[in-house]
Amino acid sequence: MATSTFDGPAVVRGGPPAHAAAPRPFRVGPLPAQVLIWAGAAAVLGLWWTDTPAVVGPAGRLTGAGRITGLLAGYACAVLLALMARVPALDRGVGTDRLARWHAAGGRYTVGLVLAHTLLIIWGSALTTHSGVVSQTTTLVLTYPDMLKATAGFLLLLATGILSARAARRHLSYEIWHYLHFATYLAVFLAFGHQLANGADFVGDNAAQLAWYALYGGVAALLVWFRFVVPVRRGLRHRMRVSHVRTEAPGVVSVYITGARLDELGAEPGQFFRWRFLCRGMWWTANPYSLSAPARPGRLRITVKAAGVHSAALARLAPGTRVWAEGPYGGFTAAPRAARRVLLLAGGVGITPLRTLFETLPGQVTLMYRARRPEDFALRGELDAIAGARGAHVVYAVDEPSAYGFPVVPLTAPGLLGLVPGLAAHEVYVCGPPGMCEAALRALRGAGVPRRRIHHESFAL
């Protein structure tokens, strides 16, 4: 069987590519994950219910509400950390994008619960002791066990929440935003002690204390194992290094990486790694980049657009640079595909995971690739060769098609229906900048594509 070889991956001619069937890794889907989270919240409320014989008067109601919000806030902190522990089964089944959205929404609720807990407990205690709010706050903070640490944790969590707000996040680099989130670990650690020392639902209840220790201990074990131990083990085992760097388009480069036993990583087309390049100015941060070609024995490839300090520095990587890769991550794979016909919608450097799916997905596949200018189309030679090898269709669209002779394909429901007849029966994968993804999702829903058949990944902080 003939093959066409680029400076990297090989494309098999004669129909859909044949890749060795690998065992499907275990996944936890969105529904089971949500059921588990809500079941835990119900159990926390049950703890308050069984420990509360009666609620009497305004002070009792305020204190009871403060206890409930405190329990839920403590539980939510554990859930937030678990969502970002990078557990492979959860990451593959739910998807990194969706986990990040759950984490962001949960963070807002958690900060709200912590604020409510603080205000309600102070107010209820002030009514109970017939004292002022300020004096009662001073008493609680200075005389109750572990309250000084809890106050520091509260302020740290509040600051992290403010910096994570969309308006503030726009002004932060990915690296700074990422490392600021490590403050969440410290905040939870500082606040943990006061829950058991002062919480009416835990004092004298050994079973409840044991369950709380098990919850936090289990989450801590997941974080230590998947965020720290596994990356170090893989870095030492696979001994990855930069082979060479190749320019693909203005400001876009491919980095070719070699290593030992890379097939053991189990990387699926559409997934990404968090890459740490052990050279000056780059060793201290790990940034997420998708594979831009299916993983080959001993070789991986990423294709990156210069959009910040880290991504711009990739063009200057020297051959032989050591690499540590955390992953693979993401549920943007063939696993959720149910329909035989597939539409891939790529914008800009969003082509990288879709290029791997374009080569490997079976069935009838159409790719639409949007960019600002013709010279911005990265990997175009490979895409054309894949299309020719498997008899697929590629449509290139630019922002000003009349200036370059490209077809006009508006990102609207009528535009997509004109490009892909029977679109509602397709599985659709969308990847690109946030604005492009939002427009594509609106167009696809308008074209009648069920939400369950739309899979998307956006390049956003």
Side-chain angles (χ1 to χ4, degrees):
M1 185 177 293
T3 62
S4 171
T5 305
F6 308 106
D7 188 9
V11 180
V12 179
R13 295 197 178 279
H19 292 270
R24 288 190 64 179
F26 178 67
R27 289 174 165 84
V28 177
L31 183 59
Q34 288 179 328
V35 168
L36 183 61
I37 291 171
W38 286 110
V44 167
L45 291 175
L47 176 63
W48 172 83
W49 181 267
T50 56
D51 286 340
T52 307
V55 177
V56 180
R61 287 192 285 273
L62 288 169
T63 303
R67 286 171 53 197
I68 290 172
T69 51
L71 283 168
L72 289 175
Y75 172 71
C77 283
V79 171
L80 286 181
L81 296 181
L83 290 177
M84 290 291 102
R86 299 176 187 168
V87 179
L90 194 61
D91 200 88
R92 287 191 182 100
V94 177
T96 306
D97 255 20
R98 184 177 290 176
L99 285 175
R101 291 194 296 272
W102 287 4
H103 178 79
R108 291 190 290 271
Y109 287 123
T110 302
V111 171
L113 286 168
V114 170
L115 280 169
H117 165 69
T118 303
L119 296 174
L120 289 166
I121 288 295
I122 292 173
W123 192 3
S125 299
L127 289 180
T128 301
T129 59
H130 306 289
S131 59
V133 170
V134 175
S135 63
Q136 187 60 27
T137 301
T138 304
T139 301
L140 288 172
V141 172
L142 297 180
T143 63
Y144 277 63
D146 292 311
M147 279 304 298
L148 274 175
K149 290 193 296 183
T151 302
F154 162 70
L155 295 174
L156 200 54
L157 187 65
L158 188 62
T160 305
I162 292 171
L163 289 172
S164 297
R166 185 171 298 179
R169 203 168 62 215
R170 293 194 192 101
H171 303 287
L172 299 175
S173 68
Y174 171 83
E175 293 81 8
I176 293 174
W177 174 83
H178 174 74
Y179 278 101
L180 280 173
H181 270 63
F182 280 106
T184 306
Y185 299 157
L186 178 59
V188 173
F189 173 77
L190 290 171
F192 178 76
H194 96 286
Q195 300 176 60
L196 300 180
N198 303 311
D201 301 286
F202 295 108
V203 175
D205 190 336
N206 292 333
Q209 290 184 21
L210 213 60
W212 214 245
Y213 273 118
L215 172 65
Y216 273 81
V219 171
L222 291 176
L223 284 166
V224 170
W225 182 256
F226 289 112
R227 295 293 296 266
F228 300 100
V229 176
V230 169
V232 171
R233 285 181 62 196
R234 286 182 172 173
L236 296 174
R237 179 171 178 77
H238 298 294
R239 303 191 302 277
M240 284 185 261
R241 292 184 181 274
V242 173
S243 169
H244 61 286
V245 178
R246 173 180 172 177
T247 300
E248 303 287 0
V252 179
V253 298
S254 285
V255 181
Y256 291 80
I257 295 155
T258 59
R261 297 181 288 270
L262 297 184
D263 55 307
E264 295 178 4
L265 294 170
E268 299 177 65
Q271 290 192 303
F272 69 94
F273 288 79
R274 287 183 169 86
W275 302 90
R276 188 184 303 274
F277 297 93
L278 305 186
C279 60
R280 184 176 180 180
M282 300 183 72
W283 63 268
W284 60 281
T285 185
N287 281 32
Y289 303 121
S290 297
L291 294 177
S292 62
R296 310 290 178 185
R299 184 168 59 187
L300 302 173
R301 187 185 75 178
I302 57 175
T303 301
V304 182
K305 180 177 181 179
V309 175
H310 188 278
S311 54
L314 296 183
R316 301 187 296 273
L317 284 173
T321 300
R322 288 289 303 272
V323 184
W324 282 22
E326 303 172 30
Y329 297 124
F332 195 65
T333 66
R337 184 182 64 90
R340 178 166 176 76
R341 291 183 292 174
V342 178
L343 171 64
L344 307 176
L345 285 175
V349 77
I351 190 61
T352 53
L354 293 183
R355 183 256 181 254
T356 64
L357 292 171
F358 189 44
E359 180 179 343
T360 57
L361 279 175
Q364 179 184 324
V365 182
T366 300
L367 170 65
M368 186 175 113
Y369 184 7
R370 304 181 68 90
R372 291 181 59 193
R373 305 165 301 172
E375 54 266 35
D376 293 329
F377 289 121
L379 310 175
R380 186 173 178 181
E382 297 183 19
L383 298 173
D384 290 338
I386 293 169
R390 61 178 303 167
H393 186 42
V394 184
V395 176
Y396 298 98
V398 295
D399 290 348
E400 299 178 6
S402 59
Y404 303 104
F406 281 83
V408 177
V409 186
L411 205 52
T412 61
L416 293 180
L417 286 169
L419 172 68
V420 186
L423 178 57
H426 282 62
E427 204 87 18
V428 184
Y429 290 78
V430 183
C431 189
M436 174 264 180
C437 284
E438 290 169 8
L441 295 178
R442 286 195 301 268
L444 291 167
R445 297 294 294 132
V449 181
R451 192 179 301 275
R452 69 181 182 278
R453 288 189 175 175
I454 303 173
H455 317 285
H456 64 95
E457 194 165 72
S458 64
F459 289 95
L461 193 66

